[in-house]
Amino acid sequence: MSFRKRNVGIPSGRPPLTVARDASSTSSRPLKREPPPPPTPGVRPSPLDGRPTTSTGTLSLDGLLAGHAGLALGNSLLIEESGTTDYAGTLLRYFAAEGVVQEHKVHVVGMGEAWGRDLPGLIGIADAKTEREEEIKVQKEKMKIAWRYEKLGNAVTPESRAAPLPGRVPPQNTPGLEDKPLQGFCHTFDLTKRLPLPSGTTINHIPIRATSSSTSPFISILQAIQQQLASSPPTSIHRLIIPSLLSPAFYPPLSSIPQHILQFLHALRSLMRQHSSRLSVMISLPITLYPRETGLTRWMELLSDGVIELIPFPHTVDTGPSFSTSGAATAQEEKPQGLASIHRLPVFHERGGGGAGSADVGDDLAFTVSRRRFVIKPFSLPPMEGDTEAQKGEGEGKPTKTIDIVQSAAFQGMESPAEPSAPELPFPIYSISSNVESYMLYDINVITWLRKTHHILGVLMGTLPHVPQQNVFLGLPLKLLPEEARFLVEKGVAFVVVDSEWHAKSLKGGSAEQRQLYLNSIAREGERAAAALERDKMERTEKAMRHLRLDTPSVRSNKSSSVLNDTQSEASESFLFADGPSTKSPRSSPHPIAESKESWAMTPSTTNQMLPRPAPGSRVPLPSVKASSYAVFKQLHDHGYHMSPGLRFGCEFMAYPGDPLRYHSHFLAVSADWDKEIDLIDLVGGGRLGTGVKKGFLIGGKEPSTVEKETRTRTFCIEWGGM
């Protein structure tokens, strides 16, 4: 054994390698390293995967974009807004103003130069912590001095006007912004001021040219964008802004034809993927004209990387006395102007894109627009009458409790569950094939009745089609243990059917009438699902209106107009999947079809409705089970225990004194043959395991029959006891 000092290298026996130098060189020259390229202004790597991101100009919106702290380059963001307000246009102006400050190439579609001259003025670098500290400081100062002397300390002197504050910019009357250090990633803007464009910086306004009926008006837009990307340096950053997409005020009527708009979004998506480190897009869409229920809008959402919906409050909210004391904000904060709903966030890799790490994504969100900020934050309703704790917290400036409208409406309308009705006996248990002993149940009524009457639990193993890998919330079918299947067959309440053989035989013998009945049942199921969704939507809307005390005649008239929009959306959706293009807009029909019922396209998960019920006359052998295992199962089941598989606890069965939804298990059950030698280490390990999880380790077997006494099953419980 040898010892050496730490951090001292062990020399090798070979001589060190030397580099042959030129004879003409008399002195060693250090290697010159090329300096790294300067960082691109307004671009920083994502904290998740390092891809380049840029700011949207709104600090709170950057924090919601899938945990990347900004909009990743090469992606698009669709802002949907209902009503006649233009809050989405404010977000687009922030996005454009941030691009101008960061010296990015800004392209605006369909708007004139007046739109670029209305960009909000620059205040400074956005920092959530700094803004909060300033607000607290101002509030403390207001508490110290009288209200009539508040503005005396804010007098502007020539010296203070000449010397800008740290993190601030020169006055807005300067001819340019060349002297401003562009070190921040996101900036704060003032909507009451205007942003002067730096010298040599222009916003590229792309006009919408009216074309013939057979040519898409978006072709010229794509050509202009491609030309700008090709003529600019490879390190330049481009921001494309499309305000009020498909609005009749800016776009010709042919723009809403699906063949034109969807091809444009496809091409734009391909262009972003081609220039994934240079181009980002932000689009606004008026969903009052193009509701989300239409197929065209859903396709546009699928072709966008992120989708956010802004739902402004009615005007009665701003003047109503109830919302002035709302729990949506504290006493010092500004009141929100509407709700914000995140329908889609960019997902960049198989780990989920960081959506789980982004704060407040799953909460109810509201947006507040003030002179200097556009803030998206969690939203809560006012405290209910009688909730003294929430009302007291509101008076002290603390956020109140959040009331889930959907959950409360669901629980108030929920009735007590009815007793499960007995199915037609005997019912079939489906075995997958004759070679695989796996027993399934597909009828929810049978499963409920068995759990209630015979204490048969089984294991749910079905998943949803769009979430096939999740294993938390499982559904039908129910897989039975071989012991459970044999117990039901011996009891006479069920019989076994080989599913593969019976299914193939029944499909061959089906008639055309049975097939039509099967299709009709699927269509009825789709109509019921659509009606249930619409009913639930109306109940949630009415519940929210009652909480906000907005049940006024004007609101009821808005509800009736929304019903008319839903009727018109059905016609536009049918137009989307028409056989050929048409120049006539579907909304121009003077007589909308009000009699048509909305129906969902259902994907059936079973063919039981198409196939006849199996007959119990088939000769299928009983499920094969181990004699000792079945004996222990039947013994515990006859004593009232609920049995479930015990693989996760290292045993054969888990024995519960009641339903596992209400009780913990009492025993870890293991079976063994009567004459089998049991290793002592298995007994000690099982006993200690059961004691560690606060259960008893139960071992049992079937005692062999003799002439004097009948066959019986005996069980023993082993526990680890301290001396």
Side-chain angles (χ1 to χ4, degrees):
M1 181 180 294
S2 61
F3 301 91
R4 66 180 179 87
K5 294 182 179 181
R6 293 184 178 180
N7 301 328
V8 176
I10 300 177
S12 60
R14 296 174 297 178
L17 296 177
T18 58
V19 180
R21 298 180 179 177
D22 191 1
S24 60
S25 63
T26 58
S27 62
S28 61
R29 299 178 181 178
L31 296 177
K32 294 183 179 180
R33 295 183 178 180
E34 296 182 358
T40 305
V43 178
R44 68 182 180 187
S46 168
L48 289 178
D49 51 9
R51 66 180 63 241
T53 61
T54 186
S55 175
T56 61
T58 306
L59 188 64
S60 58
L61 181 58
D62 290 343
L64 294 175
L65 294 179
H68 291 269
L71 179 61
L73 295 178
N75 290 270
S76 62
L77 185 62
L78 178 64
I79 310 295
E80 301 176 340
E81 183 177 359
S82 59
T84 57
T85 54
D86 193 25
Y87 294 113
T90 304
L91 284 179
L92 266 61
R93 285 184 172 86
Y94 280 132
F95 185 65
E98 184 69 32
V100 171
V101 172
Q102 302 289 3
E103 298 181 355
H104 295 172
K105 303 291 183 181
V106 180
H107 312 280
V108 183
V109 176
M111 297 294 172
E113 296 182 358
W115 193 91
R117 290 194 295 267
D118 288 340
L119 296 181
L122 181 63
I123 298 178
I125 299 175
D127 187 358
K129 183 178 180 180
T130 304
E131 291 182 1
R132 184 60 180 169
E133 289 177 355
E134 290 180 359
E135 292 180 0
I136 296 175
K137 183 178 179 181
V138 171
Q139 293 172 8
K140 289 182 178 179
E141 292 296 332
K142 288 183 178 180
M143 295 175 62
K144 291 179 181 179
I145 61 178
W147 62 271
R148 65 180 64 188
Y149 304 113
E150 286 180 0
K151 298 183 180 179
L152 293 180
N154 297 331
V156 181
T157 61
E159 293 79 6
S160 62
R161 186 184 294 109
L165 295 175
R168 301 290 180 175
V169 298
Q172 293 293 335
N173 54 4
T174 54
L177 300 176
E178 298 89 352
D179 299 332
K180 180 183 67 65
L182 299 177
Q183 299 178 357
F185 179 74
C186 181
H187 294 79
T188 306
F189 300 93
D190 192 340
L191 289 174
T192 61
K193 299 180 180 180
R194 294 295 169 257
L195 178 67
L197 298 180
S199 59
T201 302
T202 58
I203 299 178
N204 179 29
H205 297 276
I206 303 175
I208 303 173
R209 296 184 176 87
T211 57
S212 61
S213 59
S214 60
T215 307
S216 172
F218 300 103
I219 296 179
S220 59
I221 300 175
L222 287 172
Q223 292 176 352
I225 299 172
Q226 292 175 349
Q227 183 179 2
Q228 290 290 332
L229 289 171
S231 60
S232 60
T235 57
S236 61
I237 306 299
H238 295 257
R239 295 182 178 223
L240 178 61
I241 302 168
I242 307 178
S244 301
L245 181 62
L246 299 183
S247 174
F250 309 107
Y251 290 84
L254 301 177
S255 303
S256 60
I257 296 179
Q259 288 81 351
H260 293 167
I261 180 60
L262 296 184
Q263 288 180 3
F264 167 69
L265 293 179
H266 269 291
L268 189 61
R269 188 182 182 92
S270 175
L271 201 62
M272 286 187 292
R273 298 302 184 263
Q274 183 180 357
H275 302 276
S276 59
S277 61
R278 301 177 59 193
L279 178 62
S280 59
V281 181
M282 186 175 287
I283 307 172
S284 65
L285 177 68
I287 58 174
T288 303
L289 302 176
Y290 302 92
R292 295 191 68 244
E293 290 78 9
T294 61
L296 178 61
T297 304
R298 289 303 178 94
W299 273 107
M300 295 170 65
E301 292 180 355
L302 291 176
L303 294 175
S304 304
D305 297 297
V307 179
I308 298 178
E309 181 183 1
L310 302 180
I311 310 171
F313 289 139
H315 294 292
T316 51
V317 176
D318 301 332
T319 59
S322 62
F323 205 78
S324 61
T325 59
S326 168
T330 59
Q332 292 80 18
E333 294 179 352
E334 298 177 354
K335 303 302 182 292
Q337 277 81 27
L339 298 177
S341 180
I342 299 178
H343 298 301
R344 188 176 184 184
L345 286 177
V347 178
F348 302 118
H349 45 74
E350 59 185 7
R351 291 185 299 171
S358 54
D360 304 326
V361 172
D363 299 336
D364 294 331
L365 301 176
F367 65 89
T368 302
V369 183
S370 61
R371 184 169 64 91
R372 294 190 175 187
R373 293 188 304 169
F374 192 111
V375 181
I376 302 176
K377 56 185 178 180
F379 173 75
S380 60
L381 288 174
M384 301 181 64
E385 296 182 1
D387 194 350
T388 57
E389 181 182 354
Q391 293 175 355
K392 180 180 178 181
E394 181 193 12
E396 297 175 355
K398 301 178 181 179
T400 58
K401 299 179 181 179
T402 303
I403 302 175
D404 195 340
I405 305 175
V406 180
Q407 186 176 5
S408 61
F411 277 107
Q412 289 181 4
M414 183 181 297
E415 299 178 356
S416 58
E419 290 292 331
S421 58
E424 182 181 352
L425 301 179
F427 57 84
I429 298 177
Y430 298 93
S431 175
I432 294 180
S433 66
S434 57
N435 299 326
V436 180
E437 293 186 355
S438 184
Y439 304 96
M440 305 289 181
L441 290 177
Y442 297 91
D443 193 343
I444 186 63
N445 296 325
V446 173
I447 295 173
T448 307
W449 181 77
L450 286 179
R451 190 183 187 99
K452 180 72 175 179
T453 307
H454 295 282
H455 306 166
I456 298 297
L457 303 178
V459 179
L460 293 171
M461 55 178 301
T463 60
L464 298 176
H466 60 285
V467 195
Q469 295 182 350
Q470 65 91 16
N471 57 356
V472 179
F473 302 102
L474 300 177
L476 299 179
L478 181 80
K479 183 177 180 180
L480 296 176
L481 294 173
E483 291 80 5
E484 293 175 329
R486 188 182 183 96
F487 174 79
L488 294 175
V489 173
E490 290 183 351
K491 202 171 183 64
V493 298
F495 61 95
V496 178
V497 176
V498 180
D499 192 17
S500 58
E501 300 176 358
W502 170 77
H503 195 273
K505 180 180 178 181
S506 301
L507 284 179
K508 292 180 180 179
S511 61
E513 183 179 358
Q514 292 177 345
R515 297 176 184 271
Q516 187 61 37
L517 292 175
Y518 176 64
L519 296 177
N520 294 339
S521 64
I522 295 178
R524 288 192 299 270
E525 192 70 23
E527 293 177 359
R528 284 194 294 267
L533 179 67
E534 186 65 25
R535 184 168 56 254
D536 181 67
K537 185 193 303 182
M538 293 299 297
E539 291 177 355
R540 286 188 281 121
T541 303
E542 293 176 358
K543 185 68 176 179
M545 289 301 180
R546 284 196 298 269
H547 275 288
L548 296 176
R549 302 176 183 175
L550 294 176
D551 194 10
T552 61
S554 60
V555 176
R556 286 193 290 269
S557 63
N558 292 336
K559 291 182 182 179
S560 61
S561 62
S562 64
V563 174
L564 179 60
N565 291 334
D566 293 340
T567 306
Q568 293 177 349
S569 66
E570 296 178 359
S572 62
E573 187 169 1
S574 61
F575 168 76
L576 174 63
F577 300 100
D579 295 335
S582 174
T583 58
K584 184 178 180 180
S585 175
R587 301 183 184 275
S588 61
S589 175
H591 302 288
I593 303 174
E595 295 82 6
S596 60
K597 295 183 178 180
E598 184 181 1
S599 176
W600 281 19
M602 304 296 294
T603 301
S605 59
T606 177
T607 55
N608 286 341
Q609 300 175 356
M610 186 178 178
L611 303 178
R613 191 175 188 273
S618 57
R619 297 181 179 179
V620 178
L622 291 175
S624 60
V625 293
K626 183 181 176 182
S628 59
S629 175
Y630 183 65
V632 173
F633 173 86
K634 195 171 183 302
Q635 173 82 354
L636 294 175
H637 187 275
D638 291 342
H639 282 76
Y641 285 94
H642 292 62
M643 310 295 292
S644 70
L647 179 61
R648 59 179 178 173
F649 282 95
C651 59
E652 294 185 25
F653 308 107
M654 301 286 297
Y656 296 83
D659 195 295
L661 297 176
R662 299 180 58 189
Y663 298 93
H664 288 285
S665 59
H666 282 186
F667 300 108
L668 308 177
V670 175
S671 66
D673 294 333
W674 189 261
D675 298 331
K676 179 183 178 181
E677 294 184 359
I678 303 175
D679 198 344
L680 183 60
I681 194 172
D682 294 334
L683 297 178
V684 175
R688 298 206 61 175
L689 173 63
T691 305
V693 295
K694 298 181 176 59
K695 308 178 193 309
F697 180 69
L698 185 144
I699 184 170
K702 186 177 181 180
E703 186 178 4
S705 59
T706 59
V707 180
E708 292 82 6
K709 57 183 178 179
E710 298 179 355
T711 304
R712 62 173 182 171
T713 303
R714 300 189 64 184
T715 57
F716 304 90
C717 185
I718 301 175
E719 296 182 4
W720 183 262
M723 298 292 294

